[in-house]
Amino acid sequence: MRNVWHLVRRNRDYRLLLGANLVSQGGDWILAIGMMFYIYDTTRSSLAAGTMLLAALAPQLAFSSLAGVFVDRWDRRTTMVVSNLLLAACLVPLFFVRASGDVWIIYVVVFVQGVLEQFFVPAEAAMVPQVVPADDLVAANALNGQNRQVARLVGAAVGGILAAVGGIALVAVVDLVSYLAAAALVAMVKAERTTPPRAAKPAARRRVRREWTEGLTLCFGRRDLATLLIFRTMSGFGEGVITVLLAPFVISVLHASGAQYGAVNSALAVGGIVGAVTVAGMRRANRPRALLGYGALAFGALDLVIALYPLALPRLWPVFVLIGIVGFPAAAMNAGFQTLQQTRTPDAFRGRVSGAITTGSAVAMVLGIVLAGALGQVVGIIPIIAIQGLIHVIAGPVVLLRMRRGPAELPDDPALPVLAPGTGPGRTAS
């Protein structure tokens, strides 16, 4: 824990980023839960609630890869500040939602927010290595993961209450304030500009296409980055499965009540918080490849146990224990992945590589959602969730085997973009 305290206490810029991340994500969870509650409470339609999930996922599929081109062009701090301000502004239409016939406004807001987040998220991830020394990157990424779990825990509890008390308008006000606060915190970060201002050029569309292609070439051509893409695609599929089947598993297989299902989600968040703090405080946490590979292996094994134990012991209490334990390998896996993506991607390509990986994960997540929804009733909930665990059991060794070589390794591909001293984003060394 001493490492964590020293990182937060001595690094002002990271402290500001961490605070902005927590405030913004807390507001996001409050808004997401509040909107889902409002939509279902107003329409009594599970299809209407599911449409909101689709509106949130669509920007990842359509824009995340292309957005990475602009993230690599623009100054990251400015990108994060402007994104937060625009995210706050796009909440204004929610004040005009009055009845079930206005639900379409919520879908539009969710979609626009999703588009803006495709610029904010990779800019934030790329900025962390600018303000945090390499030896502290794993701890910093673990603490960022803890923020997500804290935001989930608080948002799940507060979002529904705010929506029930003050409607969608109160939820929007809280999230709007969180975005403004996050923008103010990021604006105080003293990191240097990441890219020089670039003059407009005539063939803008052609240049965007070239830079986008260069990012994809790097992501697919580098063995280590391609491995990260493969891993996130596999884990994204599993995430889609869990998104659909966690509630049916807890309620139908374990015969839990709605309140008990909420308690399981809270236990999942608490386990993630404890796991993230533990990973951040580890003295030997500077081996991200091992954290990702072995973390995924342990995570998958525990998920298999969670899926299969009801066959022998159909009781609810073991799931609380297992979900609490799984928080540690989940935190290790996520911190290892984020650190590897940051350290093995050339700085000028971080936005594009992040965008490509996000797109692959989103496609796989949609596939997981569709297949879990279609096959959950036919094949059974337990087998499908077990497949999700097995995917991570396979993904862990894939990482360990494919990422043995050093980060500077490049394949013998003359078309692969390689940065030389003095070249900037979108320009390749000759």
Side-chain angles (χ1 to χ4, degrees):
M1 297 306 109
R2 190 175 178 182
N3 293 348
V4 177
W5 171 247
H6 282 175
L7 171 62
V8 175
R9 182 178 61 86
R10 71 172 180 257
N11 193 324
R12 174 185 176 274
D13 282 350
Y14 175 68
R15 194 163 61 244
L16 290 169
L17 278 181
L18 191 68
N21 180 286
L22 178 59
V23 170
S24 180
Q25 289 203 47
D28 286 347
W29 268 99
I30 289 171
L31 182 68
I33 298 297
M35 286 193 299
M36 188 68 76
F37 174 89
Y38 179 85
I39 288 173
Y40 188 76
D41 185 58
T42 303
T43 66
R44 295 297 172 181
S45 168
S46 57
L47 178 61
T51 303
M52 193 187 98
L53 178 61
L54 180 62
L57 276 175
Q60 295 182 38
L61 294 168
F63 298 108
S64 59
S65 183
L66 186 60
V69 174
F70 298 97
V71 170
D72 285 335
R73 288 184 183 185
W74 300 334
D75 174 64
R76 288 158 188 161
R77 179 178 55 188
T78 303
T79 300
M80 292 171 66
V81 171
V82 173
S83 295
N84 270 305
L85 294 176
L86 291 176
L87 283 164
C90 79
L91 293 174
V92 172
L94 293 179
F95 295 115
F96 298 96
V97 175
R98 297 283 185 268
S100 59
D102 300 326
V103 165
W104 66 270
I105 297 176
I106 297 178
Y107 297 152
V108 172
V109 169
V110 169
F111 181 81
V112 173
Q113 282 206 315
V115 173
L116 292 171
E117 285 172 357
Q118 303 319 304
F119 296 91
F120 175 84
V121 173
E124 180 191 35
M127 193 170 180
V128 172
Q130 285 182 251
V131 301
V132 174
D135 290 344
D136 290 331
L137 266 181
V138 169
N141 287 318
L143 289 179
N144 284 342
Q146 176 198 354
N147 271 356
R148 285 192 292 273
Q149 298 301 334
V150 171
R152 177 179 183 170
L153 187 63
V154 174
V158 176
I161 296 174
L162 292 178
V165 172
I168 200 69
L170 180 58
V171 174
V173 167
V174 172
D175 196 34
L176 190 151
V177 171
S178 76
Y179 283 133
L180 296 178
L185 290 170
V186 174
M188 291 189 285
V189 174
K190 296 181 179 178
E192 296 179 0
R193 287 184 61 88
T194 51
T195 57
R198 301 179 65 181
K201 296 181 180 180
R205 183 178 300 178
R206 189 182 310 161
R207 192 171 78 253
V208 168
R209 187 186 304 117
R210 188 192 70 222
E211 293 176 11
W212 177 65
T213 302
E214 288 172 355
L216 292 179
T217 302
L218 181 67
C219 191
F220 285 101
R222 279 270 295 267
R223 181 185 177 93
D224 47 4
L225 297 181
T227 301
L228 293 178
L229 174 61
I230 292 169
F231 176 84
R232 278 301 291 141
T233 301
M234 296 174 73
S235 65
F237 179 85
E239 186 177 350
V241 169
I242 285 295
T243 297
V244 174
L245 294 183
L246 179 61
F249 175 75
V250 174
I251 295 172
S252 298
V253 175
L254 299 178
H255 308 292
S257 66
Q260 288 171 325
Y261 169 65
V264 169
N265 275 283
S266 296
L268 183 63
V270 171
I273 293 168
V274 174
V277 173
T278 303
V279 171
M282 289 171 58
R283 291 185 178 181
R284 299 180 68 84
N286 58 346
R287 298 180 179 178
R289 170 183 164 274
L291 287 174
L292 176 57
Y294 291 115
L297 185 60
F299 178 84
L302 284 167
D303 268 11
L304 276 173
V305 174
I306 291 172
L308 299 176
Y309 91 82
L311 297 175
L313 182 64
R315 298 287 186 273
L316 182 62
W317 65 263
V319 79
F320 288 99
V321 177
L322 292 168
I323 278 182
I325 296 173
V326 84
F328 174 72
M333 179 175 67
N334 292 330
F337 176 86
Q338 191 68 19
T339 304
L340 285 170
Q341 182 177 305
Q342 291 165 340
T343 57
R344 299 209 174 191
T345 305
D347 181 72
F349 284 87
R350 282 180 177 149
R352 281 166 282 179
V353 169
S354 176
I357 290 175
T358 298
T359 300
S361 175
V363 171
M365 186 174 178
V366 170
L367 182 62
I369 289 172
V370 172
L371 289 181
L375 299 179
Q377 296 295 325
V378 178
V379 179
I381 295 171
I382 289 178
I384 301 298
I385 292 184
I387 290 173
Q388 184 269 152
L390 185 61
I391 285 173
H392 284 89
V393 170
I394 296 171
V398 167
V399 169
L400 294 171
L401 290 174
R402 285 181 55 90
M403 297 196 74
R404 283 181 173 177
R405 302 178 189 178
E409 178 204 19
L410 293 170
D412 296 325
D413 183 353
L416 183 69
V418 183
L419 289 183
T423 60
R427 289 171 286 181
T428 55
S430 57

